[in-house]
């Protein structure tokens, strides 16, 4: 990945962009791009992100003028880039989630292959088994229902539980006339009803037990022989082979049962007597009425009306649920034993693979350790379900210990954590996602065009420098070719210096009236005063250095000296402004800063006011006009203010008698408003008062606001002020 070319047309705010990033020629893995607000940064990042996601329903376009034809071509060394080779990271994107990448680099390919082969075999056999189990149980989700009934810990998987229950199968399992979910509904409404109506149910069971005591066939004790047990007995003897072998049953009253038919008749008579007992029927009717009041229990009501004595079993709801599943599983005894045996044979092999894979957790743990150590946030990341992520490619389950000063940490999941974090802390959290994705690509040796879209914006300084340190490490890794996009000037300067980038790798964006984006060599990595001192012979630089020199002299000499006063007269219209020559200002600069003594100018004889206006006029005519150049904006701002003050002074009566000690433009505007109510004129002058002060009162270190201000706004304002005069 040596030459990356990006060609875009009508992609969101970008009318046209055609630029080649030659990483090989410049021997650099990174380009730094500063984009003033409104030029292209967000549009470029969004375009590349949509290309990487390859979502045909949401591709780059012009959302305002939909008829414009959109093109977006990204090539690497002359060939179209593979979408998996693009990664756009925006730390403000809450939907960004790269945890599914983790499994691709945690386990080695050999281990992963072995695991997948075994796991696939198990899944196939389990799938066939569950189909049969579903037919028996008529459960909507028999796997989950079975696990829910027996599980006591997160490690109790379906196969683990099946292996355990296979050792407890019933030889003669019973059958049930209800569908599983009619009694054990997934929403838990039946259990809630039973808990709420426990007294009604207890009354029914009590009356049932009383009837058992009176029966000559059934018996109520700690180990009751009731209707359920009798039905099981009947089921096991229905083929009559027991009786044909000469066996018989002797009852408490010494009566003998010698055939399955006799047993059936007796059982039917006894059950009928119990079910038709008036007290028991009355108790059942009370339960049935309560159930009928709840529309969600319609299937449950139908099931117990078919078999009233189900209420006896349901009294111990969870035990009954396990008993039902045991009977279902026992019905498939042959299939259960086969699957359990197969799983048991593979389990040892799986455990060995997992043991070997744990040796490879180091990368994952290192990522989390890196985050915990470098970033200052009120939480620490914790790893869970490592084995599943390593081998099953499940989503990483990260949990977070939120900690406050001198308080015990509280465990939080992702969503609850994000709801209590500040904006900057949230952005730091999303950087964790970046770490996973980046490390994944490192392990796969996947060459990637990495676009970092203001990933340190809104960070406090501690976290800002943590991410800069990480970017530097990425910059030194040749598999990544990085475009660092930012509209944060401080971040731009810091990255440029910390990465020791060649000046040709530091770019700034310009946009013309046709919305064409041009990337030009960036500047202003150091203070601008040093740059201006070396270029005094250039007219716009000479005009622009005046407020800088005035600012420095104010620090050195204060405001009372003649030097400060003379420089102020270049920036505000004073009584002596017209008499000041450019040569006077040059001498002042030479005297104040001897290192500039060798600098000369060709326009020394020109009055400073006339010189500033001529220079601003020349800037106005430039085509194309440099959007970034500070001297353009400073010179225009000075000229605008001088023109505005000149106009107001000619209109305000007795203006010469007005005493102004500070904020001259604002004071003059107040006096002007008292005699002029023309909205158009006042609008222009208000804009002068709002737009120019920061540009003129600039110092050598804080000039980001001027860079972000569009120069054509100043040109348009200058034209309007000139019309006033």
């Amino acid at each position: 990945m040596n030459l990356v070319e990006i060609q875009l047309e009508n992609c969101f705010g970008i009318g046209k962009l055609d630029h080649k990033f030659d990483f090989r020629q410049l021997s650099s893995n990174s380009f730094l791009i500063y984009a003033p607000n409104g030029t292209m940064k967000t549009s470029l990042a969004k375009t590349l992100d949509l290309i990487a996601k390859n979502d045909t329903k949401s591709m780059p376009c012009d959302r305002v003028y939909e008829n414009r034809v959109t093109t977006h071509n990204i090539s690497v060394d002359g060939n179209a880039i593979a979408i998996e080779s693009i990664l756009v990271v925006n730390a403000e994107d809450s939907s960004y989630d790269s945890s599914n990448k983790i499994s691709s680099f945690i386990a080695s390919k050999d281990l992963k292959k072995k695991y997948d082969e075994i796991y696939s075999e198990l899944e196939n056999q389990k799938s066939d088994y569950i189909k049969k189990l579903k037919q028996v149980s008529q459960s909507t989700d028999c796997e989950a229902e079975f696990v829910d009934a027996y599980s006591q810990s997160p490690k109790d998987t379906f196969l683990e539980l099946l292996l355990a229950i296979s050792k407890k199968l019933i030889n003669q399992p019973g059958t049930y006339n209800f569908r599983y979910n009619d009694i054990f509904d997934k929403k838990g409404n039946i259990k809630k009803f039973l808990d709420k109506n426990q007294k009604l149910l207890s009354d029914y069971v009590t009356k049932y037990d009383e009837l058992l005591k009176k029966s000559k066939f059934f018996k109520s004790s700690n180990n009751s022989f009731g209707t359920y047990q009798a039905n099981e007995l009947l089921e096991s003897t229905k083929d009559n082979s027991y009786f044909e072998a000469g066996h018989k049953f002797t009852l408490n009253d010494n009566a003998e049962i010698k055939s399955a038919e006799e047993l059936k008749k007796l059982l039917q008579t006894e059950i009928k007597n119990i079910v038709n007992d008036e007290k028991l029927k009355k108790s059942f009717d009370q339960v049935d009425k309560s159930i009928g009041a709840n529309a969600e229990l319609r299937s449950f009501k139908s099931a117990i009306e078919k078999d009233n004595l189900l209420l006896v079993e349901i009294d111990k709801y969870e035990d009954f649920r396990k008993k039902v599943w045991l009977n279902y599983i026992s019905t498939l005894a042959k299939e259960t034993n086969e699957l359990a045996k197969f799983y048991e044979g593979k389990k040892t092999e799986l455990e060995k693979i997992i043991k070997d894979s744990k040796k490879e957790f180091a990368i994952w743990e290192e990522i989390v350790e890196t985050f915990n150590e470098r970033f200052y946030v009120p939480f620490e990341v914790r790893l869970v379900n490592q084995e599943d992520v390593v081998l099953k490619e499940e989503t990483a389950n990260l949990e977070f210990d939120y900690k406050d000063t001198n308080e015990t940490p509280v465990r939080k999941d992702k969503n609850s954590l994000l709801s209590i974090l500040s904006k900057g802390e949230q952005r730091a959290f999303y950087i964790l996602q970046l770490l996973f994705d980046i490390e994944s690509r490192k392990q796969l040796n996947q060459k990637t065009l990495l676009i970092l879209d203001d990933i340190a914006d809104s960070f406090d300084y501690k976290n800002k420098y943590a991410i800069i340190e990480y970017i530097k490490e990425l910059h030194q890794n040749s598999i990544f070719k990085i475009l660092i996009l930012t509209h944060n000037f401080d971040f731009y300067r810091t990255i440029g210096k910390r990465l020791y980038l060649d000046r040709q790798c530091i770019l700034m964006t310009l946009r013309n009236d046709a919305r064409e984006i041009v990337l030009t060599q960036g500047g202003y990595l150091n203070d601008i005063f040093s740059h201006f001192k070396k270029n005094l012979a250039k007219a716009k630089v000479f005009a622009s250095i005046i407020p800088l020199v005035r600012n420095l002299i104010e620090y050195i000499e204060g405001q009372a000296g003649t030097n400060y006063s003379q420089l102020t007269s270049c920036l505000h219209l004073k009584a002596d402004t017209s008499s000041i020559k450019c040569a006077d200002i040059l001498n002042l600069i030479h005297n104040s800063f001897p290192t500039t003594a060798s600098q000369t100018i060709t326009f020394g004889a020109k009055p400073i006011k006339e010189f500033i206006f001529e220079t601003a006029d020349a800037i106005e005519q430039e085509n194309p006009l440099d959007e970034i150049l500070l001297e353009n904006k400073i010179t225009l701002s000075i000229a605008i203010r001088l023109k505005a003050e000149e106009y107001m002074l000619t209109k305000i009566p007795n203006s010469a008698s007005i005493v102004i000690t500070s904020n001259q433009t604002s004071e003059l505007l107040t006096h002007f408003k008292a005699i002029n109510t023309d909205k158009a004129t006042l609008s222009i002058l208000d804009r002068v008062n709002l737009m120019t002060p920061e540009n003129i009162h600039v110092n050598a270190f804080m000039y980001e606001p001027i860079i972000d201000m569009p120069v054509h706004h100043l040109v348009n304002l200058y034209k309007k002020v000139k019309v006033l005069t």
Side-chain angles (χ1 to χ4, degrees):
M1 191 175 283
N2 298 314
L3 180 64
V4 174
E5 184 171 8
I6 298 178
Q7 297 173 310
L8 308 176
E9 285 193 41
N10 299 318
C11 295
F12 305 111
I14 299 174
K16 184 176 182 180
L17 170 64
D18 188 345
H19 192 86
K20 295 179 181 179
F21 297 92
D22 195 335
F23 294 94
R24 179 180 55 187
Q25 183 178 352
L26 297 173
S27 300
S28 174
N29 292 324
S30 302
F31 278 86
L32 171 63
I33 304 172
Y34 176 79
N37 285 322
T39 50
M40 68 130 214
K41 183 185 72 65
T42 303
S43 296
L44 177 60
K46 189 172 184 178
T47 297
L48 295 175
D49 189 38
L50 290 177
I51 293 171
K53 291 175 179 176
N54 196 31
D55 184 354
T56 55
K57 296 180 181 179
S58 179
M59 291 303 285
C61 62
D62 190 312
R63 289 186 171 174
V64 178
Y65 301 97
E66 297 179 2
N67 61 328
R68 288 175 176 168
V69 177
T70 297
T71 60
H72 40 82
N73 300 313
I74 317 295
S75 64
V76 174
D77 302 329
N79 301 309
I81 192 170
I83 58 173
E84 63 271 14
S85 297
I86 305 175
L87 176 61
V88 179
V89 179
N90 179 346
E92 219 169 40
D93 182 3
S94 60
S95 65
Y96 180 70
D97 186 0
S98 60
S99 54
N100 62 335
K101 297 277 187 180
I102 297 175
S103 63
S104 64
F105 68 89
I106 294 297
S108 69
K109 291 181 179 178
D110 289 341
L111 284 179
K112 189 76 177 68
K113 184 179 178 182
K114 288 179 184 176
Y115 183 90
D116 285 344
E117 287 173 353
I118 296 173
Y119 198 75
S120 178
E121 284 185 85
L122 285 171
E123 282 296 304
N124 289 337
Q125 292 210 23
K126 186 181 83 171
S127 179
D128 291 340
Y129 178 83
I130 286 175
K131 287 177 183 177
K132 295 176 182 177
L133 186 60
K134 189 170 184 177
Q135 291 176 343
V136 173
S137 66
Q138 299 182 63
S139 166
T140 55
D141 186 0
C142 57
E143 179 177 0
E145 299 276 12
F146 169 66
V147 171
D148 187 53
Y150 278 93
S151 176
Q152 294 182 333
S153 80
K155 292 185 178 181
D156 286 335
T157 64
F158 178 85
L159 290 172
E160 276 293 313
L161 293 171
L162 191 75
L163 178 61
I165 206 171
S166 68
K167 306 180 190 307
K168 306 174 184 177
L169 298 181
I170 302 170
N171 290 330
Q172 296 290 336
T175 57
Y176 297 100
N177 296 322
F178 58 81
R179 293 184 307 171
Y180 178 84
N181 294 113
D182 289 348
I183 305 298
F184 308 101
D185 64 312
K186 296 192 77 171
K187 292 182 179 179
N189 290 325
I190 296 171
K191 181 68 166 63
K192 291 175 186 175
F193 170 82
L194 296 175
D195 291 342
K196 185 178 179 180
N197 296 275
Q198 186 61 48
K199 187 176 184 308
L200 281 177
L201 198 64
S202 295
D203 288 345
Y204 184 88
V205 173
T206 299
K207 289 180 174 59
Y208 171 78
D209 285 341
E210 289 173 355
L211 292 171
L212 289 187
K213 291 175 182 177
K214 297 176 183 178
S215 171
K216 65 178 183 179
F217 184 76
F218 299 115
K219 184 174 180 60
S220 176
S221 64
N222 290 335
N223 296 303
S224 294
F225 182 79
T227 53
Y228 174 76
Q229 291 82 0
N231 275 314
E232 287 185 319
L233 177 62
L234 181 62
E235 182 70 22
S236 63
T237 59
K238 65 182 180 181
D239 62 357
N240 214 45
S241 58
Y242 176 83
F243 298 104
E244 289 175 353
H247 303 297
K248 61 184 178 181
F249 292 143
T250 302
L251 306 182
N252 284 337
D253 61 357
N254 294 319
E256 295 181 346
I257 304 296
K258 298 181 179 180
S259 70
E261 185 62 27
E262 289 179 26
L263 179 62
K264 183 178 180 181
K265 287 181 180 179
L266 175 65
L267 180 59
Q268 288 175 340
T269 301
E270 289 288 328
I271 291 176
K272 185 177 180 181
N273 291 338
I274 290 174
V275 172
N276 290 330
D277 179 82
E278 288 301 320
K279 290 182 179 180
L280 190 67
K281 284 176 67 177
K282 186 176 179 181
S283 180
F284 175 81
D285 288 341
Q286 287 180 311
V287 177
D288 192 48
K289 184 178 179 181
S290 296
I291 297 172
N294 192 329
E296 293 180 332
L297 303 181
R298 193 171 298 150
S299 298
F300 175 57
K301 185 175 186 295
S302 177
I304 66 165
E305 285 174 348
K306 290 178 183 177
D307 184 358
N308 298 2
L309 297 181
L310 272 176
L311 290 177
V312 178
E313 295 281 4
I314 289 172
D315 185 43
K316 296 180 179 179
Y317 191 78
E318 292 302 328
D319 289 344
F320 184 46
R321 184 158 73 130
K322 291 179 181 178
K323 183 190 292 185
V324 169
W325 276 114
L326 179 59
N327 278 273
Y328 289 155
I329 299 292
S330 298
T331 302
L332 300 172
K334 178 175 177 293
E335 294 88 343
T336 300
N337 286 321
E338 286 176 355
L339 180 56
K341 185 177 180 181
F342 180 75
Y343 172 65
E344 194 169 27
K346 296 295 183 182
K347 185 179 176 182
T348 304
E349 200 172 343
L350 282 173
E351 287 173 347
K352 183 179 184 305
I353 293 174
I354 290 173
K355 183 179 179 181
D356 291 341
S357 73
K358 286 181 179 179
K359 300 172 185 177
E360 303 182 7
F361 284 164
I363 300 169
W364 192 15
E365 291 172 341
E366 187 178 337
I367 294 171
V368 174
E369 184 178 349
T370 297
F371 181 84
N372 287 336
E373 287 183 354
R374 290 189 180 181
F375 289 92
Y376 293 81
V377 287
F379 62 88
E380 285 193 353
V381 186
R382 291 285 175 262
L383 308 174
V384 291
N385 75 321
Q386 293 179 340
E387 293 167 8
D388 291 342
V389 174
V390 169
L391 295 169
K392 299 180 186 176
E393 295 189 8
E394 291 187 3
T395 299
N397 191 355
L398 302 177
E399 292 186 348
F400 310 89
D401 286 344
Y402 186 90
K403 58 184 188 303
D404 204 348
T405 308
N406 299 324
E407 295 288 345
T408 304
V410 178
R411 183 63 55 88
K412 294 283 185 181
D413 60 21
K414 172 183 172 180
N415 292 331
S416 60
L417 176 74
L418 289 176
S419 68
I420 58 177
L421 295 180
S422 69
K423 189 75 170 177
E425 290 165 350
Q426 287 179 17
R427 292 176 72 94
F429 169 83
Y430 294 129
I431 293 300
L432 178 62
Q433 309 291 338
L434 164 66
L435 300 183
F436 281 130
D437 212 333
I438 293 296
E439 293 302 326
S440 168
R441 291 167 185 265
K442 281 185 183 178
Q443 295 303 310
L444 296 172
N445 198 33
Q446 182 177 338
K447 294 184 178 180
T448 301
L449 177 62
L450 179 60
I451 296 91
L452 304 180
D453 180 16
D454 258 335
I455 62 171
D457 205 25
S458 299
F459 277 10
D460 58 28
Y461 275 96
K462 297 187 295 291
N463 287 327
K464 182 176 289 188
Y465 284 107
I467 193 59
I468 289 173
E469 181 182 0
Y470 188 65
I471 292 173
K472 185 175 181 179
E473 292 173 8
L474 295 178
H475 170 66
Q476 294 167 347
N477 191 319
S478 60
I479 72 167
F480 296 111
K481 302 306 176 188
I482 311 173
L483 301 182
I484 307 168
L485 309 180
T486 183
H487 69 158
N488 184 306
F489 194 67
D490 178 61
F491 182 72
Y492 158 80
R493 294 176 67 184
T494 305
I495 284 286
K497 293 177 180 178
R498 293 297 177 90
L499 269 58
Y500 302 105
L501 292 176
D502 186 282
R503 281 302 181 104
Q504 291 178 288
C505 297
I506 300 173
L507 305 172
M508 287 182 165
T509 61
L510 303 177
R511 185 173 71 168
N512 60 24
D513 292 339
R515 300 183 305 121
E516 293 177 340
I517 302 298
V518 177
L519 301 184
T520 185
Q521 185 171 319
Y524 305 122
L525 290 176
N526 301 307
D527 70 274
I528 57 171
F529 186 63
S530 299
H531 164 68
F532 281 6
K533 282 196 304 180
K534 298 174 184 177
N535 294 280
L536 291 177
K538 297 178 180 178
K540 60 177 75 173
V541 171
F542 187 82
S544 299
I545 203 172
I546 293 172
L548 293 174
V549 174
R550 177 175 176 265
N551 181 251
L552 293 172
I553 285 178
E554 182 181 5
Y555 291 142
I556 299 168
E557 301 176 3
Q559 296 183 2
T562 56
N563 286 340
Y564 182 84
S565 177
Q566 188 175 44
L567 291 169
T568 300
S569 295
C570 297
L571 305 176
H572 288 289
L573 209 58
K574 303 287 188 180
D576 62 337
T577 298
S578 298
S579 64
I580 300 173
K581 300 284 195 297
C582 291
D584 298 330
I585 300 303
L586 181 64
N587 289 333
L588 186 157
I589 294 172
H590 285 169
N591 293 334
S592 300
F593 304 98
T595 55
T596 65
S598 61
Q599 296 284 318
T600 61
I601 58 176
T602 60
F603 40 82
K606 283 192 177 181
I608 192 69
K609 185 178 75 168
E610 178 186 333
F611 165 75
I612 289 171
F613 290 157
E614 285 182 1
T615 307
D617 289 341
I619 294 171
E620 179 190 341
Q621 299 302 317
E622 289 182 10
N623 188 18
L625 182 58
D626 193 323
E627 280 277 350
I628 301 295
L629 208 60
L630 286 175
E631 43 264 52
N632 284 347
K633 300 176 184 181
I634 297 174
T635 302
L636 284 168
S637 297
I638 296 171
I640 288 169
R641 195 160 76 173
L642 287 174
K643 285 283 186 183
E645 290 187 3
E646 186 177 56
Y647 171 73
M648 288 188 287
L649 285 169
T650 62
K651 297 297 182 182
I652 299 172
N654 301 315
S655 60
S657 63
I658 299 174
V659 178
I660 299 175
T661 57
S662 63
N663 301 320
Q664 178 165 310
T665 311
S666 296
E667 287 291 323
L668 287 176
L669 183 56
T670 300
H671 286 283
F672 182 81
K673 286 181 177 180
I675 58 135
N676 193 310
T677 58
D678 180 65
K679 290 183 179 179
T681 301
L682 293 178
S683 175
I684 294 170
L685 295 175
D686 276 331
R687 289 184 66 197
V688 171
N689 202 32
L690 287 170
M691 289 175 62
T692 60
E694 286 77 12
N695 299 359
I696 297 172
H697 296 166
V698 66
N699 65 43
F701 306 99
M702 298 298 291
Y703 41 90
E704 180 178 358
I706 314 176
I707 290 178
D708 273 345
M709 178 177 286
V711 71
H712 66 271
H713 286 183
L714 292 171
V715 170
N716 290 337
L717 184 56
Y718 181 57
K719 289 177 180 179
K720 291 179 179 180
V721 172
K722 285 200 298 181
V723 172
L724 291 179
T725 60

